[in-house]
Amino acid sequence: PVKIVTIGGGSSYTPELMEGFIKRYDELPIKEIWLVDIEAGKEKLEIVGAMAQRMWDASPYDVKVHLTLDRREALKDADFVTTQFRVGLLNARIKDERIPFSYGMLGQETNGAGGIFKAFRTIPVILSIVEDMKELCPNAWLVNFTNPSGMVTEAVMKYGKWDRVIGLCNVPVGAMMAEPETIGTTLDKLIYKFAGLNHFHWHRVFDLDGTDVTGKIIDAMYEGKDSGIPANIHDIPFFKEQLKQMNLIPCGYHRYYYRQQEMLAHGLEEYNGIGTRGQQVKQTEAELFELYKDPNLNYKPEQLTKRGGTHYSDAACETIASIYANKNTHLVVTTKNNGAVPDLPADCAVEVSAHIGSAGALAIAFGPLEPAQRGWLQCMKNMELCVEEAAVTGDYGLALQAFILNPQIPSGENAKRVLDELLIAHKKHLPQF
Ligand code: NAD
Ligand code: G6P
Ligand code: MN
């Protein structure tokens, strides 16, 4: 009997997770699920927790959903711990977005100054969760969804010294769900190979004879077909000549780098108009929780697809089922590089195609990247390493270095001002600084 603990259980995504577990019950026989939250999320936890129990009650399976604010009580003897918490809730995200935008820089939840500060707030919390796990469930797996997912996962490995961790994102799932249809085939007839970092990966696709079909998919992207781009990213097309040159499909987030001017202009327009993504999501979240209050609702509502993280349970639940049942499934996850991407250190975290089984994730070799991709990748990884170390040590100079390395932050006085303003705005969640 499997015990699952979900930290940040009050998330509006929790019904996704329940749906994924219900679908996989035969291979993953869960006995109890513990949803953990904090005082500030108590009301959300109670609403979505009751909804989660209704989903199980409507299924053929006998599973109890426990709700608690006591993380340690929940972690005792857990088999799998999933993390989906947001330190400071959406109000903190909105500050991460609005302060950089007020200086004409991108304000985004996982990119630029906002993404760096989300890491600063989150890494101390994830490391304290790891310390509890060492004591209370030393054999458990940590399946992290909390953003910035790549950096948070890497911090767990490097600073938490915890290797039983896998980082997840729904973006690769979205691509693999949408792309086969654009070239008139299905996923089981294709081989996908991903390499890079979380929200900064590329992929190549082959048919079962080994013929490269990446170029065909790229062509289809320009015929107006759905590429699986997440709902939170404004769809400015990539330059086709660039994609053809690299013969790789970038992830949706590469738009912030390959079309930086246009993405920034769009972000600033929203900032000055309808509000940033975080402000928009506040509305969607309120609507979702109104639905969850309905005592007759016992399935995941359609409205959840308005959130950028839709389909994430396919990654999370499949990862857990694959570890538990030693399935050796191909999934795209954040895990230790071990040479899969030789342009990066062997001990760093990468987001790559991997085989998932009882030993965890084994990265599949991708091979070296061409200079244009390699340059970006090494800059971004080294920026991430500075962020993680600064998140642990609270070193102001290193935080500034990370800012100056980050391609979304022009260097100069304003970089320092944005850093200082964010430090003040988030003071209560940054004990290390
Ligand atoms: P949310 O704002 O609903 O937060 C989820 C819950 O976390 C809240 O109920 C909150 O009270 C709780 N929480 C905050 N601090 C906590 C702590 N210290 N311990 C326990 N619980 C705590 O967030 P959301 O929109 O559901 O997103 C949750 C997280 O998942 C975010 O970090 C978000 O960026 C991330 N996310 C990741 C992906 C991905 O692809 N990896 C996709 C979507 C969202
Ligand atoms: C997906 C990503 C997440 C991201 C989220 C934002 O694109 O994979 O990592 O942060 O959606 O969605 P939201 O609806 O909160 O803006
Ligand atoms: Mn993601």
Side-chain angles (χ1 to χ4, degrees), residues 36-268:
V36 183
D37 215 288
I38 53 171
E39 192 57 42
K42 188 162 180 250
E43 202 194 329
K44 286 172 65 186
L45 178 70
E46 280 166 1
I47 296 168
V48 80
M51 160 90 190
Q53 185 67 66
R54 289 196 300 275
M55 290 176 75
W56 282 105
D57 292 347
S59 82
Y61 316 115
D62 184 22
V63 171
K64 170 99 180 100
V65 180
H66 299 260
L67 310 181
T68 182
L69 304 186
D70 183 347
R71 182 169 92 200
R72 292 177 57 86
E73 180 197 12
L75 286 176
K76 183 101 188 69
D77 302 324
D79 297 295
F80 294 94
V81 178
T82 77
T83 43
Q84 53 178 36
F85 57 92
R86 184 188 295 282
V87 179
L89 293 145
L90 280 174
N91 286 338
R93 172 177 179 176
I94 292 167
K95 291 177 189 170
D96 282 344
E97 295 167 342
R98 295 198 67 88
I99 292 172
F101 274 138
S102 75
Y103 286 89
M105 298 174 200
L106 179 73
Q108 211 278 330
E109 108 157 316
T110 62
N111 290 271
I116 292 176
F117 266 77
K118 188 158 162 62
F120 287 168
R121 294 194 299 282
T122 307
I123 288 173
V125 176
I126 199 87
L127 293 178
S128 78
I129 292 171
V130 168
E131 288 314 305
D132 282 351
M133 288 178 68
K134 286 176 183 166
E135 195 185 323
L136 299 164
C137 52
N139 297 316
W141 280 92
L142 176 55
V143 177
N144 176 59
F145 179 68
T146 300
N147 273 318
S149 180
M151 287 193 263
V152 170
T153 303
E154 186 162 67
V156 167
M157 289 166 15
K158 277 190 191 272
Y159 296 96
K161 307 250 179 281
W162 182 276
D163 280 333
R164 296 165 77 85
V165 61
I166 290 180
L168 294 180
C169 177
N170 62 313
V171 169
V173 177
M176 289 187 283
M177 280 178 76
E179 286 171 4
E181 205 183 307
T182 68
I183 57 165
T185 184
T186 48
L187 185 57
D188 57 315
K189 301 208 167 56
L190 296 173
I191 296 166
Y192 270 80
K193 283 186 81 174
F194 283 77
L197 309 178
N198 178 237
H199 293 185
F200 207 86
H201 53 70
W202 300 268
H203 62 275
R204 209 167 257 151
V205 192
F206 303 86
D207 70 15
L208 298 183
D209 303 324
T211 306
D212 188 331
V213 296
T214 313
K216 260 172 91 172
I217 297 176
I218 292 173
D219 289 337
M221 281 168 72
Y222 293 89
E223 288 158 15
K225 291 180 180 148
D226 174 24
S227 64
I229 183 174
N232 57 303
I233 304 176
H234 181 57
D235 193 358
I236 287 176
F238 291 110
F239 294 122
K240 189 172 181 182
E241 299 88 336
Q242 185 189 13
L243 302 203
K244 285 295 208 180
Q245 192 286 325
M246 64 173 115
N247 191 41
L248 285 167
I249 299 169
C251 82
Y253 286 87
H254 274 103
R255 283 173 177 75
Y256 292 113
Y257 301 85
Y258 293 166
R259 299 297 305 261
Q260 185 171 20
Q261 276 190 325
E262 293 80 6
M263 292 301 280
L264 177 60
H266 175 80
L268 282 168

Side-chain angles (χ1 to χ4, degrees), residues 47 226 263 275 287 310 347 405:
I47 296 168
D226 174 24
M263 292 301 280
E287 284 168 28
T310 186
D347 68 344
L405 256 180

